């Protein structure tokens, strides 16, 4: 009888701690979810320029539109060694899949790391790249193709480079460009340059020979064909122009 009573007491104590732990977990403000279920994701990163060892980059962020009524989005990033801060993001537009696009431009050293912080209706969600954080070399988030900025462009040797996710060995990467504000257009193939070390991404490049007098009417976008699918980077519907280059 004493043994049975002892077992009952121990079971009751275990159940009590389980209930306390459950209440603590539910009532906490920080929410950890699986990556596939998270309402916030790094969409892509645009490395815009650098001066000495300080980088300027814009992080684009994808938010589930219906995840909260009140939203605040931040890039939580390192500024100097051991020094982190939150830079608020601003709303850009609604994407075709009914998600929202936000962006924040941040500054930091060439070794800068960052994560995405999303506060929705009082709950805090993170995208920290599965615990590894992001760096300026992480160009692709949710996209499969992204144009890169290059420096020292001239009309006669205007180079266009893109980062693509290596979804299959057989692929086509092209730029579609116009010299007359899209009254007409041409396509040109990009060529493989190299694979980014330790990632599933590749760099592709083409160099165009243009005239100085057409540069104000020059616009372009990039498309990537692989496995029967076509992925576009048209700068969120704005396309790119001669001013899309690295800043110093």
């Amino acid at each position: 009888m004493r043994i049975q009573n002892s077992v009952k007491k121990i079971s009751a104590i275990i159940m009590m701690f389980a209930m306390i732990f459950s209440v603590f977990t539910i009532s906490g403000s920080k929410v950890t979810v699986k990556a596939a279920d998270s309402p916030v994701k790094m969409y892509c990163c645009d490395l815009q320029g650098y001066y000495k060892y300080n980088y300027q980059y814009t992080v684009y962020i994808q938010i589930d539109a219906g995840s909260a009524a009140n939203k605040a989005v931040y890039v939580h990033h390192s500024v100097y060694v051991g020094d982190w801060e939150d830079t608020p993001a601003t709303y850009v537009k609604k994407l075709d899949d009914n998600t929202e696009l936000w962006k924040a431009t941040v500054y930091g050293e060439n070794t800068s790391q960052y994560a995405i912080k999303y506060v929705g209706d009082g709950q805090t969600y993170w995208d920290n790249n599965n615990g590894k954080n992001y760096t300026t070399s992480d160009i692709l988030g949710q996209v499969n193709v992204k144009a890169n900025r290059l420096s020292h462009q001239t009309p006669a040797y205007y180079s266009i480079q893109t980062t693509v996710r290596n979804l299959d060995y057989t692929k086509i990467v092209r730029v579609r460009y116009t010299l007359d504000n899209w009254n007409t257009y041409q396509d040109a193939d990009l060529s493989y340059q190299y694979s980014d070390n330790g990632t599933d991404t590749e760099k592709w490049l083409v160099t165009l020979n243009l005239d100085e007098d057409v540069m104000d009417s020059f616009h372009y976008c990039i498309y990537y064909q692989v496995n029967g699918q076509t992925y576009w980077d048209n700068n969120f519907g704005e396309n790119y122009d001669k001013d899309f280059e690295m800043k110093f």
Side-chain angles (χ1 to χ4, degrees):
M1 180 67 68
R2 290 182 179 177
I3 294 176
Q4 290 177 348
N5 289 338
S6 298
V7 171
K8 289 180 179 179
K9 290 181 179 179
I10 293 172
S11 299
I13 292 171
I14 292 173
M15 183 174 296
M16 178 183 68
F17 277 106
M19 291 175 64
I20 293 172
F21 179 76
S22 176
V23 170
F24 175 78
T25 303
I26 294 172
S27 63
S29 62
K30 184 174 181 179
V31 177
T32 302
V33 295
K34 295 180 181 179
D37 301 326
S38 177
V40 56
K41 299 179 180 69
M42 196 277 277
Y43 194 72
C44 63
C45 180
D46 176 19
L47 180 59
Q48 296 176 312
Y50 55 88
Y51 177 72
K52 293 183 178 179
Y53 298 105
N54 292 315
Y55 278 60
Q56 172 184 325
Y57 53 100
T58 295
V59 181
Y60 290 89
I61 303 157
Q62 186 177 25
I63 301 293
D64 287 352
S67 58
N70 300 303
K71 305 181 182 75
V73 187
Y74 306 89
V75 174
H76 181 69
H77 62 101
S78 61
V79 183
Y80 301 104
V81 176
D83 186 13
W84 289 67
E85 68 179 32
D86 285 347
T87 296
T90 57
Y91 175 83
V92 178
K93 63 183 297 185
K94 185 166 285 189
L95 300 175
D96 292 339
D97 59 358
N98 201 36
T99 59
E100 296 176 358
L101 186 70
W102 294 60
K103 71 174 182 179
T105 298
V106 297
Y107 304 85
E109 297 179 310
N110 59 349
T111 56
S112 290
Q113 298 184 39
Y114 67 90
I116 310 299
K117 176 182 176 182
Y118 168 43
V119 182
D121 291 342
Q123 300 290 332
T124 302
Y125 305 87
W126 291 87
D127 176 8
N128 63 0
N129 195 20
N130 295 317
K132 299 180 293 184
N133 292 324
Y134 292 101
T135 69
T136 55
S137 62
D138 292 309
I139 304 299
L140 305 180
Q142 298 302 303
V143 302
N144 290 313
V145 53
K146 176 70 181 71
N148 304 320
R149 296 175 187 262
L150 299 176
S151 58
H152 307 300
Q153 298 277 42
T154 64
Y157 297 95
Y158 193 94
S159 294
I160 296 172
Q161 186 193 61
T162 187
T163 299
V164 302
R165 199 181 309 280
N166 184 18
L167 299 176
D168 192 76
Y169 177 79
T170 303
K171 59 177 71 73
I172 295 173
V173 185
R174 289 187 174 125
V175 57
R176 176 162 294 179
Y177 67 97
T178 180
L179 304 176
D180 54 13
N181 291 317
W182 296 111
N183 289 314
T184 61
Y185 66 82
Q186 304 175 57
D187 287 355
D189 289 319
L190 278 72
S191 298
Y192 171 83
Q193 281 189 290
Y194 58 87
S195 298
D196 295 311
N197 290 332
T199 71
D200 62 346
T201 62
E202 301 173 345
K203 294 291 190 294
W204 288 62
L205 179 79
V206 66
T207 299
L208 304 177
N209 185 354
L210 307 174
D211 295 327
E212 179 69 39
D213 58 1
V214 303
M215 295 308 292
D216 288 339
S217 302
F218 169 63
H219 307 278
Y220 67 93
C221 54
I222 296 170
Y223 64 97
Y224 167 37
Q225 295 177 322
V226 60
N227 293 331
Q229 298 291 323
T230 301
Y231 304 97
W232 289 85
D233 177 14
N234 62 4
N235 194 22
F236 310 112
E238 300 296 325
N239 294 316
Y240 297 100
D241 58 25
K242 62 182 177 60
D243 295 324
F244 184 75
E245 61 180 3
M246 191 70 72
K247 302 177 177 64
F248 296 94

